[in-house]
Amino acid sequence: MLKIRLGVAPAAGTGPAEFAGLAQRLEEAGVDSLWLSELVYSPEVDPMIGMAHALARTAKLKVGTGVAILPGRHPVLVAKQLLTLAGLAPKRVLPVFGLRPARAAEHALFPVPPGRRAAVFDESLTLLRRLLEEDDVTFDGEFFQVTGVSLGPRPAKRLDIWLGGSAPAALRRTGRLADGWLGSFHTPSQSREARLAIQAAAAEAGREIEEDHFGLSLVVADRGIPDDLAAMAARRSPGVPLPDLVATSWPEARRLVEQHIEAGLSKFVLRPGHGDFDGFLEKFQAELVPLQN
């Protein structure tokens, strides 16, 4: 049986003042995990700094990035950050990485050679994985070269790296190089197809991804779908009816989660489509937490 777990993400635009006590509230409410997006040109907290704050203020809450951008960052520095967090908060760090920012205006903040973002991503992941798993790393790649790098103690439990993305190349990359997948703006049938594509790519690469390492980020817009959210959903899944991608009520949120579970997904991140996080959390606990096993 798949281990079903549900976490939450802050509402869009949640700044440091509102975020400061959020992790403690979630832990007290019994929420499994907190997820932080990387949106630079916004009030939202930086995901790595937000993770450190949330982990320091809690004892059980897991905290993840959903998603952070890897190409444009040096893998050695990313590995050092993750190993530090994992050492300070064992078994509670959940990194998920993506290819490029959701907002085109932020692409220049993560510079890579023109036309080589996917290649940089692949090499970054390969080096990052070695840095997280080996005590002494020498690597001579096209974009990164390191010699005899040691970053200190590694966590007793292997640190999993998940990826986002929905393009065929992104799904193949997840199968070849990652430990799990967190999708968004997918219908249940699209989620099933993505899972199967990732598993096929993993098998082709001689790997296997654990069956409960497939998840989805889902927005609950029970007070109407904002225009910017509707536009994003349309870009991510053109031609798909919005209610199949965004939950328009809590009964619909439960229905969609149950259908994604039937499609083979088991990890979910719920995000409010409005600013009333208190009301969102109350409904989340009542409607969705009972699905956990």
Side-chain angles (χ1 to χ4, degrees), residues 8 46 56 66 86 115 123 136 170 182 194 243 288:
V8 302
D46 175 88
E123 190 169 301
D136 188 296
L182 183 68
L288 294 183

Side-chain angles (χ1 to χ4, degrees), residues 114-158:
R116 305 306 309 279
R117 184 169 291 275
V120 172
F121 197 10
D122 286 359
E123 190 169 301
S124 297
L125 281 167
T126 300
L127 177 53
L128 178 62
R129 165 109 301 140
R130 290 191 56 190
L131 292 162
L132 295 176
E133 297 179 356
E134 300 176 21
D135 292 325
D136 188 296
V137 176
T138 295
F139 184 88
D140 185 17
E142 179 181 356
F143 308 102
F144 304 104
Q145 297 83 35
V146 300
T147 302
V149 170
S150 178
L151 298 180
R154 290 179 285 116
K157 181 182 183 298
R158 181 177 180 272

Side-chain angles (χ1 to χ4, degrees), residues 9-15 37 39 42-44 103 219 226 228 271-275 277:
T14 299
S37 300
L39 296 171
S42 81
E44 298 181 32
R103 299 175 176 177
V219 179
D228 57 345
R271 178 189 296 275
H274 53 76
F277 194 81

Side-chain angles (χ1 to χ4, degrees), residues 46-206:
D46 175 88
M48 289 295 185
I49 294 175
M51 286 177 71
H53 175 86
L55 292 167
R57 299 285 293 271
T58 56
K60 297 180 181 179
L61 184 74
K62 296 189 284 290
V63 187
T65 59
V67 300
I69 309 308
L70 185 57
R73 287 186 163 105
H74 200 293
V76 172
L77 299 179
V78 176
K80 183 66 174 182
Q81 290 174 321
L82 292 177
L83 287 172
T84 300
L85 288 172
L88 294 169
K91 302 180 182 179
R92 296 200 287 140
V93 178
L94 307 173
V96 184
F97 292 106
L99 177 67
R100 58 171 55 87
R103 299 175 176 177
E106 298 177 6
H107 288 189
L109 305 178
F110 303 91
V112 297
R116 305 306 309 279
R117 184 169 291 275
V120 172
F121 197 10
D122 286 359
E123 190 169 301
S124 297
L125 281 167
T126 300
L127 177 53
L128 178 62
R129 165 109 301 140
R130 290 191 56 190
L131 292 162
L132 295 176
E133 297 179 356
E134 300 176 21
D135 292 325
D136 188 296
V137 176
T138 295
F139 184 88
D140 185 17
E142 179 181 356
F143 308 102
F144 304 104
Q145 297 83 35
V146 300
T147 302
V149 170
S150 178
L151 298 180
R154 290 179 285 116
K157 181 182 183 298
R158 181 177 180 272
L159 191 62
D160 288 337
I161 300 295
W162 289 34
L163 299 184
S166 59
L171 302 179
R172 291 193 296 271
R173 178 180 297 110
T174 301
R176 289 187 293 107
L177 299 172
D179 300 300
W181 175 75
L182 183 68
S184 61
F185 297 110
H186 279 62
T187 66
S189 62
Q190 289 172 331
S191 290
R192 178 181 286 106
E193 292 170 2
R195 175 180 61 81
L196 293 173
I198 291 168
Q199 290 173 325
E204 186 176 344

